[in-house]
Amino acid sequence: MANYKYPNKASFFKFVFHASQIARNPIPFHKMMFGEYGDTLSIRRFFAPPVILTRDAGIARHTLQKYHRRYSKSKLQTRFLSRYIGNGLLTSTGDYWLQQRRLIQPGFHREKIRNLIGIINKTIDGQVQAFETGVFQELYPLMNTLAFEVVSKSLFNYAASPEVLKRLQVIIETLQKFTVREMRQPYKRFWYNINGEVKHHLELTRESRAIINTIIEERKASKDRHDDLLDMLLNAGYEDGTKMNNAQLIDEILILFVAGHETTASALTFTLFLLANHPGELRKARAESLALKNGEEALETLPRMEHIKRCIEESMRLYPPVWVMDRISTKDDTIGEYSIKGGTLFGISIFEMHRNPKYWEQPETFDPDRFLSDDSKRNGAYMPFGAGPRLCIGNNFAMYEMMLAVNAIIHTFDLETCTTEVKLNPLITLKPANVELKFTKRA
């Protein structure tokens, strides 16, 4: 029998004792455990290999990048999440995932995304001009609508009515909330089946898929060219010349909606919250924004938004939208001094790694200038879009969108906040819960 060596072992009963707290918000519990046991710890399970919880960048790189073939996504994503949002890039694994990634990747290369910049910028300007001014308002719903509109227009351009897209937005948000409840409270799954909640949410899944299928069929019947992401997906061909069927298209479109708007909405909310609380950084970002020429093509302005970009990068360090990742070892493996058994589940806390004092000076401080050089990224402890072959396919899209959105907002408005603390709601993505901002039109 192999001699396995695991990191510092924490009591399983400690997790049981804190179960209700973990179900509400696991981040404070993770922080406490890392403070008590160090950067990596293990929790023994009954009849299964231990769980490893880590904020160590070396272990993150080992599982996500260097030896990624020895690890796969856990059933939490491949089984439970895929039940509601399909078997797309986020939830698929193995050869099928690789096939889909190779098919879709070219559509997200920088040059392809640059063709969408006009649509993105026009959509952002329309949303920003409609902001209510002079009153404190919840920021996340505003950013959520903005980001959803950008994804909708980029995916479908003008192929769907606002009412249909709004219904799709409501369904996707409802499904995500229920999925998180299922994953965090597995002991209630039986009850969710009995009381009809699973059935209700599966009906919502079918409705969302029907909406997207109608859009796809209408586009196929049309001879118009839109140069949007739907055109790209419809025209993408496998090596044998075949194309995705409607079920595959729906899977990938649902994933793009889920991954492409909630993460961006959260990152924008956190960034504007931080800028409103750091007037000096806001002044530097606004000076950069005002230096851009009016009427200049958005594509030409992006390279000169250097400080704005750093503010977004630092915001995603402090509040990474993808705050935790899981992997499960498919075989026995050695990681540094540890020897682990196949079937070991890893929880990689990106949130805690981004605040680990081993990698960051003054890790709790908002300091965009730490990204003046690439050293902060080279330390291997910065992974806001993931890492390795499963690095977020839309990372360039997201950065361009966020830079244009922040630029438009600070160019148009003064920002005022009434809070210095943000409440975190870690669902599938990290969401802010209590950020209020007041927009005042600049003279």
Side-chain angles (χ1 to χ4, degrees):
M1 185 180 223
N3 291 319
Y4 298 110
K5 182 181 179 185
Y6 279 83
N8 295 331
K9 293 182 176 62
S11 167
F12 176 76
F13 295 103
K14 185 170 286 192
F15 278 75
V16 173
F17 181 76
H18 290 277
S20 60
Q21 174 196 337
I22 294 169
R24 289 192 305 272
N25 181 356
I27 286 179
F29 181 74
H30 288 178
K31 183 179 180 68
M32 179 185 75
M33 297 299 283
F34 288 128
E36 186 173 344
Y37 292 94
D39 289 346
T40 305
L41 58 131
S42 60
I43 306 99
R44 190 175 299 281
R45 295 183 289 175
F46 299 112
F47 312 114
V51 172
I52 289 179
L53 183 64
T54 186
R55 64 175 183 178
D56 181 88
I59 293 177
R61 291 194 301 270
H62 181 101
T63 54
L64 301 174
Q65 289 179 300
K66 195 171 182 182
Y67 298 104
H68 65 91
R69 288 185 178 86
R70 302 176 188 174
Y71 296 84
S72 68
K73 286 198 168 188
S74 76
K75 291 178 181 178
L76 289 175
Q77 293 190 50
T78 58
R79 180 183 296 177
F80 297 112
L81 187 55
S82 64
R83 180 159 63 159
Y84 300 106
I85 62 172
N87 192 38
L89 283 179
L90 180 66
T91 54
S92 59
T93 59
D95 291 340
Y96 180 74
W97 168 81
L98 183 59
Q99 170 189 266
Q100 292 301 99
R101 179 84 183 201
R102 286 173 175 169
L103 180 73
I104 298 169
Q105 179 81 53
F108 284 89
H109 285 162
R110 274 194 175 92
E111 290 306 312
K112 293 284 187 180
I113 296 301
R114 286 158 72 97
N115 295 335
L116 290 171
I117 291 297
I119 294 174
I120 295 170
N121 199 46
K122 184 179 178 181
T123 305
I124 289 169
D125 282 345
Q127 290 292 307
V128 169
Q129 294 305 319
F131 284 2
E132 185 179 1
T133 59
V135 295
F136 282 104
Q137 56 190 306
E138 276 284 336
L139 184 58
Y140 178 79
L142 206 59
M143 295 299 103
N144 195 39
T145 298
L146 182 151
F148 192 88
E149 285 292 316
V150 169
V151 172
S152 300
K153 292 293 192 297
S154 300
L155 263 169
F156 302 140
N157 206 345
Y158 299 101
S161 70
E163 295 78 19
V164 168
L165 292 176
K166 181 63 180 177
R167 176 60 182 163
L168 194 58
Q169 181 182 7
V170 169
I171 291 173
I172 288 172
E173 290 176 2
T174 303
L175 290 174
Q176 193 201 55
K177 288 176 182 176
F178 180 68
T179 303
V180 170
R181 283 167 57 201
E182 260 202 321
M183 290 194 296
R184 286 204 192 149
Q185 299 174 304
Y187 49 88
K188 288 188 176 181
R189 283 182 194 140
F190 178 75
W191 171 243
Y192 293 149
N193 276 284
I194 294 295
N195 70 7
E197 287 198 65
V198 169
K199 180 182 177 182
H200 170 67
H201 288 88
L202 288 175
E203 287 172 354
L204 290 178
T205 298
R206 285 190 287 273
E207 183 184 350
S208 69
R209 296 182 72 86
I211 289 171
I212 296 171
N213 190 66
T214 300
I215 294 170
I216 291 170
E217 287 299 324
E218 289 175 352
R219 177 63 65 85
K220 284 181 174 180
S222 168
K223 294 183 179 179
D224 296 336
R225 180 174 174 176
H226 294 270
D227 289 323
D228 55 15
L229 292 173
L230 180 55
D231 273 4
M232 179 274 290
L233 292 170
L234 284 168
N235 293 321
Y238 296 111
E239 291 179 359
D240 63 1
T242 61
K243 301 182 187 301
M244 282 188 280
N245 59 40
N246 279 22
Q248 291 173 304
L249 286 165
I250 293 167
D251 284 344
E252 300 303 345
I253 288 168
L254 274 173
I255 292 297
L256 291 174
F257 267 120
V258 171
H261 91 278
E262 292 211 341
T263 52
T264 302
S266 294
L268 283 171
T269 302
F270 286 123
T271 300
L272 293 171
F273 163 79
L274 288 164
L275 286 172
N277 274 291
H278 294 83
E281 301 298 342
L282 177 57
R283 280 194 296 271
K284 285 195 279 186
R286 179 171 287 134
E288 184 175 81
S289 174
L290 295 176
L292 302 174
K293 296 178 183 176
N294 288 330
E296 194 171 14
E297 289 292 331
L299 187 58
E300 297 172 8
T301 65
L302 283 165
R304 300 204 297 281
M305 296 184 193
E306 296 177 356
H307 192 71
I308 290 173
K309 182 182 180 184
R310 289 194 294 272
C311 288
I312 295 168
E313 289 174 329
E314 175 69 342
S315 169
M316 290 194 295
R317 182 189 69 80
L318 285 167
Y319 303 106
V322 181
W323 64 279
V324 68
M325 296 182 189
D326 67 42
R327 288 295 185 269
I328 190 164
S329 60
T330 57
K331 58 180 72 175
D332 290 4
D333 197 13
T334 300
I335 309 178
E337 63 183 292
Y338 307 125
S339 176
I340 61 105
K341 183 183 172 89
T344 297
L345 178 65
F346 284 74
I348 303 162
S349 176
I350 305 299
F351 182 90
E352 284 293 331
M353 186 172 73
H354 280 188
R355 293 168 179 252
N356 190 337
K358 185 164 76 175
Y359 308 117
W360 309 93
E361 292 183 12
Q362 296 182 304
E364 304 294 328
T365 301
F366 178 65
D367 179 17
D369 285 348
R370 72 172 79 241
F371 288 100
L372 275 168
S373 75
D374 284 337
D375 290 345
S376 290
K377 297 175 188 175
R378 286 198 205 106
N379 68 18
Y382 186 67
M383 300 181 184
F385 293 107
R390 298 198 75 130
L391 178 76
C392 174
I393 198 171
N395 61 332
N396 292 320
F397 182 103
M399 281 304 302
Y400 291 159
E401 176 188 352
M402 289 188 288
M403 290 164 67
L404 290 169
V406 170
N407 174 60
I409 290 167
I410 65 175
H411 192 100
T412 308
F413 301 109
D414 287 321
L415 311 181
E416 185 181 347
T417 183
C418 52
T419 180
T420 58
E421 295 291 332
V422 58
K423 183 180 178 183
L424 301 179
N425 188 14
L427 301 175
I428 296 171
T429 58
L430 184 65
K431 295 174 70 172
N434 67 328
V435 176
E436 290 191 347
L437 224 63
K438 180 163 73 175
F439 298 99
T440 304
K441 204 91 170 180
R442 297 185 63 255

